[in-house]
Amino acid sequence: MAATPIAVITGASSGIGAATARTLAAAGFRVVLTARRKDRIEALAAEITKAGHQATAYPLDVTDRAAVDEFATAFRSLAVLVNNAGGALGADPVATGDPADWRQMYETNVIGTLNVTQALLPALTASGDGTVVILSSTAALSSYEGGGGYVAAKHGEHVLAETLRLEIVGTPVRVIEVAPGMVRTEEFATTRFRGDTEKAAKVYAGVDAPLTAEDVADTIGWAVTRPSHVNIDLLVVRPRAQASNTKVHRTL
C-alpha cells in the first residue's frame, strides 16, 4: 500500500495557509502545518483530524535557519511544499518608508522561502515526484504607489521561483508560482496597517466580492494535483472586479 503523500504548508495559522491546509488534507495529503503561532496550528490540526484527515502541527519561524534545518530532518521524502509564509508591512512611499519594515518583509517573504525550500529540496527530490509552490502576489509582477517594500520582496520571490525552475529542470520536482491579486482575509490588511481596522477596511471598500482565502487555496489545490508532467509555471488569480493592481471597480 502506497504511503500517504505529505504536504508542508508554511504560514498555516490563518488565511490562505490555513485554507490550503484544509484543501490539501481533503485531497488526500497528510498535511504538516507550520507557523509561529503554536495554538493556531494545533487547533487547525485538531479540526482537520476530526474531519477524518491527517494533520500535524509544528511551530516554526521560517526566518530561523537553524530551526528550519532541524524541522527538515523529519522528512526523507516529501510530495509538496507550499511556501505561504509572508506578508506586508506599511504603505509608505519610498521616500519615507521604514527600512526596518522593508528588511522584515524581505526576510519573511524571500529569505524564509529560501530557507524552507533549500532545507526540504532533498526530500522533495527523493520523493520522485515533488512540487514546490511559491505563493507570491500580483505585486511580484507590477508595482503600485505605497507598495515599494512589499513589491520588492514579492519580486524577489518571483525571481526565486523562476531561477529555481531553471536550475532544477530535469529533476522530478515542479516549481509552481501562484500570484493572487486582491484577497480579503482576516489578517493581511490589518497586519499591514498595524491593527488599524478602519484603514484595512478601506482596501476592500466598494469592491464586489474580493477573492477569499478559499478561492486561492482551491487554485493551489488544482495546480498541485495536475498530472506529474504538467507544470503550472505561473498562475495569476484576481477577483473579477480587479483588472490590475491599480485598476479596481468600486461601487461607493
Side-chain angles (χ1 to χ4, degrees):
M1 184 175 179
T4 303
I6 301 171
V8 169
I9 301 105
T10 70
S13 58
S14 66
I16 293 170
T20 299
R22 294 184 182 101
T23 296
L24 294 186
F29 290 90
R30 177 163 75 85
V31 293
V32 180
L33 319 176
T34 74
R36 291 174 296 177
R37 292 179 291 186
K38 182 174 182 284
D39 58 332
R40 290 283 196 97
I41 55 173
E42 286 182 343
L44 179 58
E47 173 201 318
I48 290 171
T49 301
K50 187 176 180 180
H53 309 305
Q54 299 181 58
T56 305
Y58 190 104
L60 183 68
D61 179 349
V62 296
T63 67
D64 182 340
R65 184 56 188 254
V68 170
D69 286 343
E70 182 179 352
F71 167 68
T73 63
F75 303 96
R76 290 185 178 179
S77 178
L78 180 65
V80 176
L81 165 61
V82 180
N83 285 295
N84 168 72
L89 287 174
D92 299 315
V94 171
T96 57
D98 186 345
D101 287 346
W102 283 55
R103 187 173 295 111
Q104 186 173 339
M105 286 186 281
Y106 192 86
E107 284 286 338
T108 306
N109 290 281
V110 184
I111 302 303
T113 295
L114 177 67
N115 284 341
V116 180
T117 302
Q118 285 183 337
L120 291 176
L121 193 56
L124 288 157
T125 306
S127 75
D129 188 15
T131 301
V132 176
V133 178
I134 293 179
L135 194 77
S136 62
S137 165
T138 53
L141 308 173
S142 63
S143 192
Y144 58 92
E145 293 170 290
Y150 182 62
V151 168
K154 286 301 182 182
H155 271 66
E157 266 193 303
H158 171 66
V159 170
L160 190 162
E162 280 194 329
T163 307
L164 178 63
R165 193 179 299 113
L166 291 170
E167 292 172 345
I168 66 171
V169 67
T171 72
V173 179
R174 302 182 291 186
V175 181
I176 294 171
E177 180 182 356
V178 176
M182 181 179 283
V183 185
R184 185 168 197 164
T185 62
E186 67 269 29
E187 293 187 345
F188 180 84
T190 304
T191 299
R192 183 171 204 165
F193 295 112
R194 307 180 198 285
D196 189 327
T197 54
E198 186 177 341
K199 276 188 179 180
K202 287 180 179 178
V203 173
Y204 311 103
V207 179
D208 180 28
L211 295 178
T212 66
E214 289 71 25
D215 292 328
V216 181
D218 181 58
T219 300
I220 293 169
W222 175 82
V224 164
T225 56
R226 293 312 84 207
S228 298
H229 69 288
V230 178
N231 196 104
I232 309 300
D233 283 14
L234 172 63
L235 198 161
V236 177
V237 52
R238 291 188 174 101
R240 186 173 59 186
Q242 183 184 30
S244 75
N245 289 344
T246 56
K247 182 71 172 180
V248 180
H249 178 71
R250 299 177 190 270
T251 304
L252 298 172

